[in-house]
């Protein structure tokens, strides 16, 4: 752990649940900063902009700003600008993220000419008409870009179904494979490391999703830390495709894992 210079932390289920801080989360972020470590909050959250997330977290006591946060929508905007410049995109998402997609050409799902179908986070908008419109565009040759593959996430009311469940159906029905821009995409972790100015061997990733957060980060060269909060389930841990480098009960245990240098 002596070589660690930066920490990537998932938000939902690690720092907060339904935007309420988990025990020890605020203090842990403060300790990491006091120890001189770089901190990036990386999330597949698609219901809020980076500025909105920063505002909510700051109101809850976290010392964070918008530039400390990398979201799947922000990563998607960068991906589309690089790989699909000028494309006409239709967005299926729950929540207003237009601010983080300001440079993306968005058209309604009923548009006749659509180059890219962009799938965000699930919600009431994911009804049959909208999904069937997306299916129609894919049949006509549109590309499928997904912000993530999360099957569910944790809220104050328990686990809730997410876009990954619908994504799998669209992929099979349209016989296509989505280009994923958020976690577990290697490009997502690379973007976070670039912002922090560190190499993968100098960073660790803390998450509650063993596949998308932890094992994906480990495949990208980071040290992975799984927390037993949020969406963590013992059965998904046992049946995972690999083993996390470290497992802790909660984010409050991270300073002890990092050692005395993180507890100044």
């Amino acid at each position: 752990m002596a070589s660690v210079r930066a920490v990537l932390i998932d938000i939902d289920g690690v720092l907060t649940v339904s935007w309420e801080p988990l025990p020890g989360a605020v203090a842990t972020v403060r300790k990491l900063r006091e120890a001189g470590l770089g901190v990036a909050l990386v999330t597949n959250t698609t219901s809020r902009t980076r500025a909105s997330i920063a505002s909510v977290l700051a109101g809850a006591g976290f010392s964070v700003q918008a530039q400390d946060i990398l979201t799947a929508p922000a990563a998607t905007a960068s991906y589309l600008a690089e790989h699909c410049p000028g494309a006409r995109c239709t967005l299926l998402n729950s929540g207003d993220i237009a601010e983080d997609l300001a440079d993306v050409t968005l058209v309604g799902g009923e548009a006749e000419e659509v180059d890219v179908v962009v799938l965000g986070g699930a919600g009431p908008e994911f009804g049959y008409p909208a999904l069937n419109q997306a299916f129609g565009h894919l049949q006509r040759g549109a590309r499928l870009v997904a912000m993530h593959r999360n099957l569910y996430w944790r809220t104050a009311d328990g686990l809730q179904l997410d876009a990954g469940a619908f994504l799998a159906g669209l992929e099979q029905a349209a016989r296509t494979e989505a280009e994923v821009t958020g976690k577990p995409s290697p490009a997502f972790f690379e973007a976070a490391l670039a912002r922090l100015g560190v190499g993968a061997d100098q960073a660790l990733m803390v998450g509650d999703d063993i596949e998308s957060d932890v094992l994906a980060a480990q495949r990208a060269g980071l040290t992975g830390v799984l927390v037993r909060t949020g969406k963590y389930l013992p059965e998904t841990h046992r049946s995972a495709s690999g083993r996390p480098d470290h497992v802790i009960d909660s984010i409050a245990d991270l300073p002890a894992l990092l050692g005395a240098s993180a507890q100044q």
Side-chain angles (χ1 to χ4, degrees):
M1 289 295 176
S3 64
V4 172
R5 293 178 50 203
V7 182
L8 282 61
I9 308 175
D10 184 35
I11 299 176
D12 282 338
V14 179
L15 294 179
T16 68
V17 169
S18 293
W19 302 104
E20 290 296 320
L22 288 170
V26 172
T28 293
V29 173
R30 184 184 69 249
K31 290 177 182 178
L32 295 177
R33 294 195 185 282
E34 290 173 351
L37 297 174
V39 176
L41 307 186
V42 293
T43 176
N44 278 345
T45 296
T46 57
S47 60
R48 295 175 181 264
T49 63
R50 294 168 62 217
S52 173
I53 292 172
S55 176
V56 171
L57 292 179
F62 291 96
S63 177
V64 298
Q65 299 180 29
Q67 59 263 34
D68 299 321
I69 300 170
L70 178 61
T71 65
T76 300
S78 297
Y79 182 89
L80 291 171
E82 180 179 354
H83 297 277
C84 313
R88 291 165 56 86
C89 305
T90 184
L91 172 66
L92 181 52
N93 179 67
S94 185
D96 183 6
I97 54 173
E99 180 181 325
D100 285 343
L101 297 174
D103 295 328
V104 178
T105 302
L106 294 176
V107 298
E110 71 284 352
E112 293 184 6
E113 296 183 15
V114 170
D115 303 309
V116 182
V117 172
V118 181
L119 216 63
E125 295 82 356
F126 278 59
Y128 179 81
L131 287 166
N132 196 46
Q133 276 185 339
F135 176 52
H137 294 310
L138 296 175
Q139 288 186 91
R140 290 188 288 274
R143 296 168 68 168
L144 178 59
V145 171
M147 295 187 186
H148 59 73
R149 288 189 178 276
N150 294 3
L151 295 173
Y152 50 82
W153 82 99
R154 172 78 63 180
T155 72
D157 297 322
L159 296 179
Q160 303 290 315
L161 198 63
D162 208 345
F166 302 98
L167 176 61
L170 282 174
E171 287 180 314
Q172 291 193 41
R175 298 182 180 181
T176 189
E177 184 174 350
E179 303 160 49
V180 180
T181 55
K183 296 175 294 180
S185 167
F188 187 87
F189 293 106
E190 291 168 6
L193 294 173
R195 291 187 181 204
L196 292 168
V198 300
D201 60 342
Q202 299 172 309
L204 59 82
M205 170 70 206
V206 187
D208 63 331
D209 187 317
I210 189 169
E211 295 289 349
S212 293
D213 291 341
V214 181
L215 298 182
Q218 290 177 193
R219 287 191 292 272
L222 290 79
T223 297
V225 181
L226 177 66
V227 293
R228 295 191 182 100
T229 56
K231 66 168 65 172
Y232 173 87
L233 294 171
E235 53 266 37
T236 58
H237 188 174
R238 289 191 297 267
S239 62
S241 61
R243 297 181 55 157
D245 293 320
H246 303 278
V247 182
I248 56 179
D249 286 333
S250 77
I251 191 68
D253 298 320
L254 183 62
L257 177 66
L258 285 168
S261 64
Q263 300 181 58
Q264 296 176 6

